[in-house]
């Protein structure tokens, strides 16, 4: 018997008790940002009220406490993703900053230039496209990408040609924020390493929802973001393999990332400090540590199992609704709880507006992944995304909302 | 609540748009995109505003707004057209506080409810902003003496 109790989970999230437009809130936008439990909010408040001071710079008691809490959060995150050491965990502002950090610093370390190739995919979030376009613009390197198949998977049919001796970096989304596809990256990672390229995985959508270990993934870097995993905004993570981080040049310069500074020359601190210039988001990092504690106490296996159930129920419910077309995989296997769909060609803004009127919060638009929309021939999609607190009743509310949409615009 | 946003007139224009399709000849053309949702509109105007034609894709609000614009502005003299334009922009940016004047706006008063939905105001304005650019490019309302 599973010990997972969604009602008990929901009681930890005060916002889920809200009403929207006279209806109970049905929050189906966790892929965008998740809600936060009291356990996380309490830890952040307690830190601000009792321990607040800057980190790594003081001998006084508060500074020592604050530093200990900040480093403790780093250790919790390291354990959560199966990192070899907390020193492999770099705190950033969000996934976007982590991805930009690698594009800059790995680009510099590898001396990326004309004739070199960077490989991404058609399934990426804009934050894993634009930093590479900028790198290619700066260096004259060429950007290439994996396509997406009709059923919403990475098209690996050209793997050996696409990833070749000229490839310097392969950067891919682990779980799509729009199709929900969980990419089995094992063959791509093996091929990339065979040709001597580094691999970065954008795990913004996978770390919050799946049990995950960096050693099993085999990549050189992963990026993720606190606010999608019941933590606060303003904190993200770059994990890097220790041996790779050791050689990686800094991204931003400033305080806390140095060894010694003269006006002529600076030597840099070891990782992770080398990549954390300036005062970091301290309270947010500690909040992320609390988020990791919260998720771990429930268990990522349990969370994943719950989401698989909800996703199966949602896919079936949507398939039974006339006029609804789901983009991507139609069964829960190989995908997470993020489902994008079309309702009778009705514009997603109109769909989202009617749903909002009924308290149902979904995302509409191109989801910062315009190439995916283009791939499926639409300008925008409606997306429902689930988390540990999502219930089948909420899926039923979504279905009723979609029927209302069709009544208004049919 | 939704009835205020999705007035019958708006849904009618959305389902049965008036004057849709790009026509020639024309004096000026403009293409506008709403980057947050990808909605697009192309508008063409003749210099005397005897025809305003358009094509686009987008939500009910932006598409109905183009249809209403076509109805309200086609055939007006430029000064009158710009008065309607100004009144519509003022209504949309008024956060629901502006009392619309039906004598000036005609069917466009149906959009009064949109002003209460900040996320949708851009949808309603998209065709009107494109119209303004197209009109400028066509030299609408610029008297020959002044252009010389
Ligand atoms: C797959 C993916 N990558 C990157 C990001 C960017 O995350 P953030 O905006 O927190 O940097 C997101 C979330 O929006 C995402 O879903």
């Amino acid at each position: 018997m599973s010990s997972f109790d969604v009602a008990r989970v929901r009681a930890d999230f005060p916002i889920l008790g809200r009403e929207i437009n006279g209806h109970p809130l049905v929050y189906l936008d966790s892929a965008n940002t998740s809600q936060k439990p009291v356990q996380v909010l309490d830890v952040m408040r307690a830190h601000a009220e009792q321990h607040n001071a800057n980190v790594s710079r003081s001998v006084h008691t508060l500074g020592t406490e604050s530093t200990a809490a900040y480093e403790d959060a780093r250790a919790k995150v390291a354990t959560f993703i199966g990192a070899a050491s907390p020193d492999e965990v770099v705190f950033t502002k969000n996934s976007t900053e982590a991805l930009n950090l690698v594009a800059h610093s790995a680009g510099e370390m590898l001396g990326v230039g004309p004739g070199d190739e960077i490989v991404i995919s058609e399934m990426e979030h804009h934050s894993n496209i634009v930093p590479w376009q900028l790198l290619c613009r700066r260096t004259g390197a060429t950007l290439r990408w994996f396509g997406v198949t009709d059923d919403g998977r990475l098209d690996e049919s050209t793997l050996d040609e696409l990833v070749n001796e000229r490839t310097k970096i392969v950067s891919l989304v682990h779980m799509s924020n729009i199709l929900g596809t969980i990419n089995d990256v094992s063959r791509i990672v093996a091929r990339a390493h065979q040709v001597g390229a580094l691999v970065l995985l954008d795990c913004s959508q996978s770390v919050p929802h799946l049990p995950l270990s960096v050693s099993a993934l085999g990549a050189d870097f992963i990026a993720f973001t606190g606010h999608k995993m019941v933590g606060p905004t303003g904190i993200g993570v770059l994990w890097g393999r220790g041996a790779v981080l050791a050689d990686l040049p800094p991204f931003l310069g400033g305080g806390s990332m140095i060894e010694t500074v003269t006006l002529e020359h600076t030597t840099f601190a070891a990782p992770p400090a080398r990549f954390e210039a300036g005062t970091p988001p301290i309270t947010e990092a500690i909040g992320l540590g609390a988020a990791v504690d919260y998720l771990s106490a429930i268990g990522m296996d349990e969370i994943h199992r719950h989401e698989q159930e909800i996703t199966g129920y949602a896919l079936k419910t949507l398939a039974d609704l006339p006029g609804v077309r789901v983009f991507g995989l139609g069964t829960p296997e190989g995908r997470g709880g993020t489902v994008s769909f079309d309702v009778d060609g009705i514009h997603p803004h109109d769909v989202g507006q009617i749903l909002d009127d009924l308290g149902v919060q979904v995302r509409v638009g191109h989801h910062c992944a315009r190439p995916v929309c283009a791939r499926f021939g639409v300008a925008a999609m409606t997306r429902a995304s689930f988390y540990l607190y999502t219930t089948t009743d909420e899926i039923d509310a979504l279905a009723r909302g979609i029927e209302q949409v069709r009544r208004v615009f049919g | 609540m939704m009835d205020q946003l999705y007035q019958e007139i708006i849904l009618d224009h959305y389902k049965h748009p008036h004057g849709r399709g790009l026509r020639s000849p024309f004096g000026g053309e403009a293409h506008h995109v709403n980057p947050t949702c990808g909605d697009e509109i192309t508008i063409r105007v003749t210099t005397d505003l005897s025809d305003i034609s358009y094509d686009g894709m987008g939500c009910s609000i932006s598409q109905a707004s183009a249809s209403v614009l076509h109805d309200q502005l086609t055939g007006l003299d430029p000064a009158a057209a710009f008065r309607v334009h100004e009144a519509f922009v003022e209504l949309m940016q008024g956060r629901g506080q502006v009392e619309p004047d039906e004598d000036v706006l005609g069917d466009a008063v149906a959009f009064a409810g949109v002003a209460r939905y900040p996320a949708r105001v851009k949808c309603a304005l998209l065709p009107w902003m494109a119209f303004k650019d197209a009109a400028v490019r066509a030299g609408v309302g610029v008297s020959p003496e002044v252009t010389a």
Side-chain angles (χ1 to χ4, degrees):
Chain A
M1 251 319 272
S2 162
S3 61
F4 188 87
D5 178 355
V6 71
R8 221 172 60 210
V9 167
R10 289 177 70 81
D12 292 333
F13 292 81
I15 202 170
L16 298 179
R18 244 200 87 162
E19 291 201 338
I20 303 280
N21 297 323
H23 297 272
L25 166 66
V26 174
Y27 188 73
L28 299 180
D29 198 17
S30 290
N32 200 352
T33 199
S34 66
Q35 298 303 343
K36 292 104 190 64
V38 281
Q39 287 86 341
V40 169
L41 303 174
D42 285 351
V43 164
M44 293 175 70
R45 187 182 177 93
H47 180 79
E49 287 182 352
Q50 297 297 327
H51 309 288
N52 182 52
N54 211 333
V55 294
S56 317
R57 299 174 178 186
S58 327
V59 295
H60 57 62
T61 300
L62 286 183
T64 308
E65 287 175 6
S66 193
T67 303
Y70 180 70
E71 292 305 327
D72 195 37
R74 190 193 307 281
K76 286 173 182 176
V77 170
T79 305
F80 188 68
I81 58 170
S85 149
D87 292 343
E88 295 186 335
V89 171
V90 176
F91 283 130
T92 61
K93 182 172 64 168
N94 48 30
S95 289
T96 304
E97 188 184 63
L99 295 164
N100 276 278
L101 192 166
V102 176
H104 264 265
S105 296
E108 181 185 336
M109 177 175 72
L110 300 172
V112 170
D116 291 337
E117 296 176 1
I118 307 292
V119 178
I120 58 171
S121 86
E122 202 176 17
M123 207 188 275
E124 302 309 316
H125 188 278
H126 294 166
S127 64
N128 198 30
I129 301 175
V130 184
W132 304 110
Q133 291 176 338
L134 295 175
L135 173 67
C136 289
R137 204 171 68 182
R138 279 195 305 275
T139 61
T142 303
L143 187 64
R144 304 186 64 190
W145 51 86
F146 287 95
V148 170
T149 64
D150 288 340
D151 60 356
R153 298 176 206 266
L154 280 188
D155 178 3
E156 295 182 41
S157 60
T158 56
L159 171 61
D160 286 350
E161 192 281 317
L162 197 54
V163 179
N164 59 55
E165 295 66 36
R166 296 182 299 277
T167 308
K168 291 290 181 235
I169 300 169
V170 177
S171 188
L172 295 175
V173 70
H174 188 212
M175 174 175 147
S176 163
N177 69 311
I178 184 162
L179 299 170
T181 315
I182 299 168
N183 292 313
D184 174 0
V185 291
S186 52
R187 285 171 302 272
I188 298 176
V189 170
R191 173 66 182 161
H193 285 160
Q194 188 186 18
V195 301
L198 290 177
V199 179
L200 166 58
L201 294 179
D202 174 1
C203 295
S204 305
Q205 296 290 344
S206 55
V207 164
H209 300 280
L210 313 172
L212 176 154
S213 131
V214 288
S215 58
L217 276 178
D220 301 288
F221 302 102
I222 76 167
F224 54 100
T225 195
H227 67 94
K228 295 189 201 283
M229 51 191 293
V230 309
T233 55
I235 185 76
V237 173
L238 172 69
W239 168 84
R241 188 181 300 289
V244 180
L245 280 189
D247 293 334
L248 199 67
F251 173 40
L252 301 176
S256 300
M257 51 79 73
I258 50 93
E259 199 173 58
T260 67
V261 177
T262 65
L263 285 177
E264 294 79 25
H265 188 64
T266 295
T267 55
F268 303 115
R274 187 188 301 158
F275 308 103
E276 294 181 2
T279 300
I282 302 164
T283 315
E284 289 73 14
I286 293 164
L288 177 59
V292 160
D293 280 345
Y294 182 82
L295 295 173
S296 303
I298 293 172
M300 290 308 291
D301 284 314
E302 293 285 321
I303 290 170
H304 183 53
R305 190 165 335 139
H306 173 71
E307 288 181 27
Q308 287 289 104
E309 264 175 49
I310 294 290
T311 305
Y313 185 82
L315 288 168
K316 193 171 167 325
T317 303
L318 291 171
D320 288 345
L321 286 176
V324 174
R325 165 188 172 210
V326 169
F327 299 99
L329 299 171
T331 57
E333 288 74 44
R335 58 131 61 239
T338 288
V339 180
S340 295
F341 56 89
D342 171 75
V343 183
D344 264 347
I346 298 163
H347 194 281
H349 269 193
D350 293 322
V351 176
Q353 193 83 59
I354 301 284
L355 291 177
D356 177 65
D357 194 47
L358 302 170
V360 180
Q361 316 285 291
V362 296
R363 173 119 185 238
V364 298
H366 52 53
H367 311 279
C368 300
R370 248 180 136 241
V372 178
C373 291
R375 168 66 181 80
F376 288 93
V378 293
M381 295 180 182
T382 305
R383 177 185 77 183
S385 55
F386 320 131
Y387 209 177
L388 70 167
Y389 38 66
T390 307
T391 65
T392 52
D393 284 352
E394 292 182 306
I395 306 300
D396 293 340
L398 170 67
R400 285 193 301 277
I402 291 172
E403 282 166 355
Q404 177 64 13
V405 168
R406 296 186 74 233
R407 271 194 293 277
V408 173
F409 293 100
Chain B
M1 224 183 123
M2 275 299 94
D3 306 351
Q4 285 188 13
L5 179 64
Y6 293 122
Q7 298 241 346
E8 227 22 78
I9 299 177
I10 293 181
L11 291 176
D12 276 351
H13 276 276
Y14 170 56
K15 291 172 191 171
H16 311 286
H18 302 176
R20 193 182 170 92
L22 292 172
R23 289 177 290 276
S24 291
F26 62 93
E29 178 182 282
H31 174 75
H32 277 210
V33 176
N34 180 346
T36 55
C37 59
D39 286 4
E40 295 186 20
I41 191 112
T42 304
I43 290 207
R44 289 178 178 176
V45 302
T46 54
T47 305
D48 60 358
L49 293 186
S50 60
D51 191 25
I52 301 173
S53 68
Y54 65 94
D55 205 356
M57 54 171 204
C59 67
S60 59
I61 302 293
S62 70
Q63 299 306 297
S65 180
S67 174
V68 167
L69 179 151
H70 165 85
D71 276 5
Q72 298 302 313
L73 302 190
T74 304
L76 290 189
D77 72 71
F82 288 134
R83 258 199 310 281
V84 177
H85 187 277
E86 200 177 313
F88 188 76
V89 172
E90 190 197 343
L91 176 63
M92 284 301 99
Q93 294 174 343
R95 297 164 194 277
Q97 306 300 313
V98 173
E99 197 53 50
D101 182 347
E102 188 160 4
D103 292 341
V104 177
L105 288 164
D107 270 5
V109 292
F111 287 84
V114 177
R116 288 200 203 90
Y117 295 83
R120 303 308 293 279
V121 165
K122 269 193 295 208
C123 309
L125 283 177
L126 184 71
W128 296 73
M129 294 304 169
F131 166 80
K132 187 136 191 226
D133 273 2
V136 167
R137 283 178 196 157
V140 173
V142 180
S143 64
E145 300 86 59
V146 183
T147 35

